Amino acid sequence: MVRFYLQVKYIIDFFLSLIAVIVASPVMAAVAIAIKIEDGGKVLLRQERTGKYGKKFTCYKFRSMKSDHVPFDKHRPVIKDNNANLTKVGKVIRKLKIDELPQIVNILKGDMCFIGPRPLLPDYDCEYQEWELVKFEMRPGLTGLSQVRGNGHLSIKARKYYDAYYVMHASPILDLKIIFKTVAVLIVGERRFLKRVPPECYEKAKQEVGKRMKISKQTYINFGLTPPQEN
């Protein structure tokens, strides 16, 4: 049922992204001009992210920082509003999540969908437990369950749990809930919706993956792992 829904979801997302590009184009054009006027630098930031089956793709965002050469600490990935490297325009577009709008192009290209697991940098690829690889059985999303459960205020472990949970329970009802909560997050902020994961939930999710989902051979290979032998 989940896999069938995902196929339908990808088709719907493609047509919605066509509409979204048209509707959002005035805002995107205004942001691009504002970024260019402020410091004359490049408008888009291109980052490599890990997507479906562990394949790498180029993720697009509006540039919000003065320099791209900022040391990345995967244990403290959240960039705070008072970060000295943020531009004036960057502070506004990050707060409103407008910096993510170019990812509509990623959805059109088939790299992403509107709702799904959030794609992380390849720096995290070595930290996945085998059951957590179920996250890569679908395209990553512009927003998702972890984004409306605290996002940057969650540990990476908790974010991976929510990503895996979503892949196993994807449904129209869950997607509607995420859409409404995403709007609420934009209004009142991520911290208000922080929901930490109880320790026992990780083991439960691990067992559920083994019973309900099959991790594809391609995912194992792209993560440099040997696929389990089939009986």
Side-chain angles (χ1 to χ4, degrees):
M1 183 64 184
V2 170
R3 292 190 182 278
F4 173 75
Y5 174 62
L6 292 182
Q7 293 303 316
V8 174
K9 173 187 176 74
Y10 294 154
I11 295 172
I12 295 173
D13 278 355
F14 174 77
F15 289 104
L16 286 178
S17 62
L18 284 175
I19 297 171
V21 165
I22 297 171
V23 173
S25 58
V27 176
M28 294 173 71
V31 172
I33 293 171
I35 291 172
K36 203 67 178 177
I37 289 175
E38 181 172 1
D39 60 13
K42 60 184 180 181
V43 170
L44 290 178
L45 172 66
R46 295 172 172 83
Q47 286 186 328
E48 186 179 57
R49 299 290 177 103
T50 304
K52 188 178 181 182
Y53 301 139
K55 295 179 180 178
K56 303 299 183 287
F57 71 97
T58 301
C59 183
Y60 305 111
K61 297 179 71 173
F62 280 124
R63 180 177 63 86
S64 60
M65 305 191 79
K66 299 171 185 176
S67 172
D68 296 341
H69 306 293
V70 181
F72 177 71
D73 183 354
K74 62 184 178 182
H75 301 294
R76 293 181 178 179
V78 178
I79 297 172
K80 296 182 178 180
D81 293 340
N82 61 356
N83 189 296
N85 196 44
L86 281 173
T87 63
K88 293 178 181 178
V89 174
K91 289 180 180 179
V92 175
I93 63 176
R94 287 178 68 89
K95 189 175 183 64
L96 298 175
K97 305 295 185 184
I98 296 175
D99 60 321
E100 311 280 359
L101 280 180
Q103 287 164 37
I104 295 173
V105 176
N106 285 118
I107 298 173
L108 270 175
K109 291 173 60 181
D111 298 325
M112 297 176 63
C113 53
F114 279 105
I115 301 172
R118 190 64 185 151
L120 299 180
L121 294 165
D123 302 62
Y124 294 99
D125 285 358
C126 62
E127 297 189 0
Y128 286 94
Q129 296 182 33
E130 184 176 343
W131 71 271
E132 293 172 334
L133 294 178
V134 72
K135 162 183 176 173
F136 301 99
E137 293 305 301
M138 72 168 291
R139 297 174 189 173
L142 181 59
T143 187
L145 192 58
S146 65
Q147 280 68 46
V148 299
R149 295 286 176 87
N151 197 25
H153 300 288
L154 292 167
S155 66
I156 291 298
K157 182 179 179 181
R159 291 166 72 179
K160 289 190 292 184
Y161 165 83
Y162 281 126
D163 287 342
Y165 182 94
Y166 176 81
V167 173
M168 292 188 289
H169 298 88
S171 69
I173 293 176
L174 181 55
D175 279 358
L176 283 173
K177 290 180 179 178
I178 291 173
I179 289 171
F180 287 122
K181 284 193 174 182
T182 297
V183 175
V185 165
L186 292 176
I187 297 172
V188 301
E190 296 174 343
R191 187 179 288 276
R192 292 283 295 274
F193 294 91
L194 177 60
K195 186 174 182 180
R196 302 192 188 280
V197 181
E200 62 272 14
C201 287
Y202 295 103
E203 185 59 33
K204 183 179 178 181
K206 181 179 179 179
Q207 294 176 3
E208 189 175 4
V209 169
K211 294 177 181 178
R212 296 186 53 181
M213 301 292 291
K214 180 181 178 181
I215 298 171
S216 68
K217 183 181 294 185
Q218 191 61 51
T219 300
Y220 280 108
I221 293 172
N222 287 334
F223 275 87
L225 301 172
T226 302
Q229 294 295 321
E230 296 183 3
N231 296 323

